[in-house]
Amino acid sequence: MTAPLKAIDGNADLAALMTDLAANARAAARVLALAPPEQKNRALAAIAAAIRAHAPAILAANAEDVAEARAAGITSAFLDRLTLTQARVDGMADGVATVRGIPDPVGAITESWQRPNGMTIERVRVPLGVIGVIFESRPNVAADAGVLCLKAGNAVILRGGSDSFRSCRAIHDCLVQGLREAGLPEAAITLVPTRDRAAVGLMLSGLNGGIDVIVPRGGKSLVSRVEAEARVPVFAHLEGVNHVYVDASANLDMAKSIVLNAKMRRTGVCGAAETLLVDRAAAATSLKPLVEMLLDAGCEVRGDAAAQKVDARVKPATDEDWGKEYLDAVIAARVVDGVDGAIAYIQRYGSHHTDSIVADDATAAEKFLSEVDSAIVLHNASTQFADGGEFGFGAEIGIATGKFHARGPVGAEQLTSFKYRVHGTGQTRP
Amino acid sequence: MTAPLKAIDGNADLAALMTDLAANARAAARVLALAPPEQKNRALAAIAAAIRAHAPAILAANAEDVAEARAAGITSAFLDRLTLTQARVDGMADGVATVRGIPDPVGAITESWQRPNGMTIERVRVPLGVIGVIFESRPNVAADAGVLCLKAGNAVILRGGSDSFRSCRAIHDCLVQGLREAGLPEAAITLVPTRDRAAVGLMLSGLNGGIDVIVPRGGKSLVSRVEAEARVPVFAHLEGVNHVYVDASANLDMAKSIVLNAKMRRTGVCGAAETLLVDRAAAATSLKPLVEMLLDAGCEVRGDAAAQKVDARVKPATDEDWGKEYLDAVIAARVVDGVDGAIAYIQRYGSHHTDSIVADDATAAEKFLSEVDSAIVLHNASTQFADGGEFGFGAEIGIATGKFHARGPVGAEQLTSFKYRVHGTGQTRP
């Protein structure tokens, strides 16, 4: 891990480099699209083994990144995302093994029907092509995203944050070793070999058809930039401004347990609840126990007038608190007028990610599930289930909040497209 | 139909107008997303009736458009696309009735599973939102696209070619009448009420989140402009450079009938074959009868050296003929080295639309269907089956050649997204 950080001399050279990378990735994608499931799984097994075997090298490279970041005086949250430990490296290898175990989506016939003229038509999953993944400081995204793209038969071009460059390079060495051992092209998983930030702009341009889709993994500013600049489709992973609405018909114990879990299980994940909505009809009985439970659990509560009344520790919410993604032990809390009020509030302030209703009233629940326009809507369950693993997808590349192609947890299936295969016996069209 | 063509004074007013339109369409989309199938079908029945009842008004408006176009000296092909007849108006109404009859995609549960913790997860179809359809001279697209979007629960903003403005307005009157009779918001199907070409640019900008997806319907230059400028997803409908490959194992009679149909049934449709590829191993026996059949049917053949040899009427192909979409009674013809040669050729020159192999050899057919990266691949059937109606979709808004979201014939189902509905009994995430 002592190779010098590659220096690229000017933008012209960088553009040429990136175009080359994309051309190689495209060629690899063709091979990968036709690779049998066993061969991809051989690569995945070899990658998992390589990550375990090279854990010391990965940790050493990461220590260099961490030292540099510390010297630059970055925040502790950032440091936490950047830092790898033996446990995190093991987790990466376990993740690769999990992806190996999920069903191969490529070639699956999702529909099949016969036409009156005797032709049969099959809808068959095929890979998307070349996926560009742009991420920030978490080096494990290189492994997670790389192998999920591989499973779905796609080539991937990875561009990590420049702070994690050495760590990503060490992980990427393991990915390439696994591809090589399985006889798959090394360009199937490419790491942009430079820290030059201009590489991101080039990826967003699509590299003249070299990249088919961009997946941004990171904070709001990265995702916003990608959405604004990308000239190719983006699997948008926007913020999770998620709500738990507690209906008057809710069982209070269930509501407490769901609200606590939705907010406090992990506050930094995109499936964490950010706003508690309580039915005005139950405010007198439910608001106080819910708010006190959160306060007692160490959560700051920013409330409307009703919420402020139930406990002196509640801070007054400002306009900015409605629709805010805290990603921290903070929640906004307010009353709304029944399920209709909750739906209208979420329509205005939500981010179409994940929202939950706690209710015994089946009609209210059905209304909420139908009318809230979010990727994931839950009845009597925690918003923290917004996760590909929890959905049974084995792994995910993120939670998409757009409505095109991918929505909700993006697993291997959603990283594919499809084609129609038509079997005839000489049919011509009248 | 004597209302003046709306004049918009300057781009600022136009931008305000378009933003208003989009806001109204968004509000209508919310209503439409929750409208029961019966209500949408009532609207469709009323639209079909209105088109039939107002055929004279539609034809009169169209006559004005045609007169203006003639005076401007446009081509006969253009005139043919622009001109409506009683039969074409009847066809429009029949098309609306067909869309009424297809299953409503919204609310369909496409998958459903239970997690080990007892939660059930359903994947349910939901509308996309607001669709912008930009088309050219064929006024019937207003009806076809409008009602297909309606069926799928989407609001639509229609922008036709300025040459067909009066015709589109007359058709749009019928669409609005049907919506009104069914109690649906009129803004569910909006026609841009001005011929100002700047409206197209505003639609491509996405109108600040007002439009979710753009569907271009028209020639290469329109589609290219849309793809280059759009800041929102596009269902790309690119050209159909479609191939028929005749393998050495093909039954010659079947090959003749498929090639003739694929090229000559209708030469102006995107599913028409543009290039004939013949297996070199069968060139001695198959090339001559195939080429002579096409020539005798009135098709110009532009061939490679082998094809030129079989008949003096064959013209030499130039480099530009390979990969050319003629949309006319012209075909390029050449020999290739077996199925591998055909696949490599199509990879280089095709447009990922529709390609067919004629072969008795099942292995060759399987290889072709797997490896040709097109939306539709056929074995022993004509490329002219590339059509939503022929696929059993009832209707289509076009044939998408991209791999994102929509691919192949885009029917009502592909105009939807999905959400996950999770039913719990109090589950929290460990």
Side-chain angles (χ1 to χ4, degrees), chain A residues 30 115 228 231 261 347 366 369 372 375 377 379-380 390 405 407 418-422 424 426 429-430, chain B residues 30 115 228 231 261 347 366 369 372 375 377 379-380 390 405 407 418-422 424 426 429:
Chain A
R30 295 220 184 89
R115 296 293 302 150
R231 304 299 301 142
N261 186 262
Q347 180 66 41
E366 177 55 32
L369 296 189
V372 171
V377 284
H379 174 210
N380 290 346
E390 293 296 322
H405 194 94
R407 198 179 196 205
F418 59 90
K419 75 201 295 188
Y420 294 103
R421 297 165 57 119
V422 182
R429 186 167 170 195
Chain B
R30 293 221 185 88
R115 296 293 302 151
R231 303 301 300 144
N261 186 263
Q347 180 66 41
E366 178 55 33
L369 295 188
V372 171
V377 284
H379 174 210
N380 290 346
E390 293 296 322
H405 195 93
R407 197 180 198 203
F418 59 89
K419 77 203 291 188
Y420 294 103
R421 295 164 59 117
V422 181
R429 187 168 170 192

Side-chain angles (χ1 to χ4, degrees), chain B residues 161-229:
Chain B
S162 54
D163 315 275
S164 60
F165 183 73
R166 298 175 188 86
S167 314
C168 289
R169 200 169 51 181
I171 293 166
H172 181 248
D173 287 344
C174 302
L175 301 172
V176 166
Q177 183 180 329
L179 290 166
R180 205 185 301 129
E181 288 181 22
L184 288 170
E186 297 183 13
I189 306 180
T190 296
L191 179 71
V192 175
T194 161
R195 300 168 110 180
D196 190 335
R197 286 174 201 276
V200 173
L202 289 165
M203 287 176 73
L204 297 181
S205 75
L207 292 167
N208 288 316
I211 292 181
D212 296 303
V213 61
I214 294 280
V215 180
R217 285 294 312 269
K220 218 161 155 173
S221 68
L222 169 71
V223 177
S224 304
R225 180 189 168 189
V226 167
E227 295 235 289
E229 288 184 28

Side-chain angles (χ1 to χ4, degrees), chain A residues 187-274:
Chain A
I189 306 179
T190 296
L191 179 72
V192 175
T194 162
R195 301 169 108 180
D196 189 335
R197 286 176 201 275
V200 173
L202 288 165
M203 286 176 75
L204 296 180
S205 75
L207 292 168
N208 288 317
I211 291 181
D212 295 304
V213 60
I214 294 281
V215 180
R217 284 295 311 270
K220 218 162 155 172
S221 67
L222 170 70
V223 177
S224 304
R225 179 188 169 190
V226 166
E227 294 236 291
E229 288 184 26
R231 304 299 301 142
V232 286
V234 173
F235 287 166
H237 294 69
L238 289 173
E239 20 174 21
V241 181
N242 309 319
H243 302 75
V244 178
Y245 164 65
V246 178
D247 191 63
S249 70
N251 172 304
L252 182 58
D253 285 338
M254 187 192 288
K256 285 171 72 175
S257 120
I258 287 174
V259 169
L260 187 66
N261 186 262
K263 177 70 250 182
M264 298 298 287
R265 173 186 161 269
R266 282 180 66 191
T267 58
V269 297
C270 67
E274 303 292 7

Side-chain angles (χ1 to χ4, degrees), chain B residues 16 41 65 81 90 97 128 148 214 340 345 372 424:
Chain B
N41 283 344
D65 282 338
R81 290 194 291 272
D90 290 343
L128 281 172
L148 200 60
I214 294 280
D340 285 314
Y345 179 89
V372 171

Side-chain angles (χ1 to χ4, degrees), chain B residues 182-368:
Chain B
L184 288 170
E186 297 183 13
I189 306 180
T190 296
L191 179 71
V192 175
T194 161
R195 300 168 110 180
D196 190 335
R197 286 174 201 276
V200 173
L202 289 165
M203 287 176 73
L204 297 181
S205 75
L207 292 167
N208 288 316
I211 292 181
D212 296 303
V213 61
I214 294 280
V215 180
R217 285 294 312 269
K220 218 161 155 173
S221 68
L222 169 71
V223 177
S224 304
R225 180 189 168 189
V226 167
E227 295 235 289
E229 288 184 28
R231 303 301 300 144
V232 285
V234 173
F235 288 167
H237 295 67
L238 289 174
E239 18 173 22
V241 180
N242 308 320
H243 302 75
V244 179
Y245 164 64
V246 178
D247 191 64
S249 70
N251 171 306
L252 183 58
D253 286 337
M254 186 192 288
K256 284 170 72 176
S257 119
I258 287 174
V259 169
L260 187 67
N261 186 263
K263 177 70 249 183
M264 297 298 285
R265 174 187 161 271
R266 283 181 65 191
T267 56
V269 297
C270 68
E274 303 293 7
T275 306
L276 168 66
L277 303 174
V278 176
D279 191 344
R280 193 182 301 278
T285 50
S286 300
L287 193 54
K288 189 178 167 73
L290 287 165
V291 165
E292 291 194 331
M293 171 198 68
L294 286 162
L295 290 164
D296 294 347
C299 182
E300 180 179 326
V301 178
R302 301 187 190 168
D304 67 351
Q308 288 171 54
K309 241 188 281 173
V310 301
D311 193 297
R313 293 170 291 173
V314 174
K315 298 186 179 163
T318 68
D319 283 354
E320 283 180 11
D321 286 302
W322 312 121
K324 176 143 178 94
E325 185 183 33
Y326 301 110
L327 295 174
D328 205 344
V330 184
I331 197 165
R334 64 177 297 156
V335 297
V336 292
D337 288 317
V339 69
D340 285 314
I343 292 164
Y345 179 89
I346 294 168
Q347 180 66 41
R348 175 155 177 206
Y349 291 105
S351 68
H352 308 288
H353 194 293
T354 300
D355 297 290
S356 178
I357 178 174
V358 188
D360 279 356
D361 177 350
T363 309
E366 178 55 33
K367 193 171 174 53
F368 186 92

Side-chain angles (χ1 to χ4, degrees), chain B residues 139-151:
Chain B
N140 52 305
V141 175
D144 298 351
V147 301
L148 200 60
C149 290
L150 171 62
K151 183 79 185 194

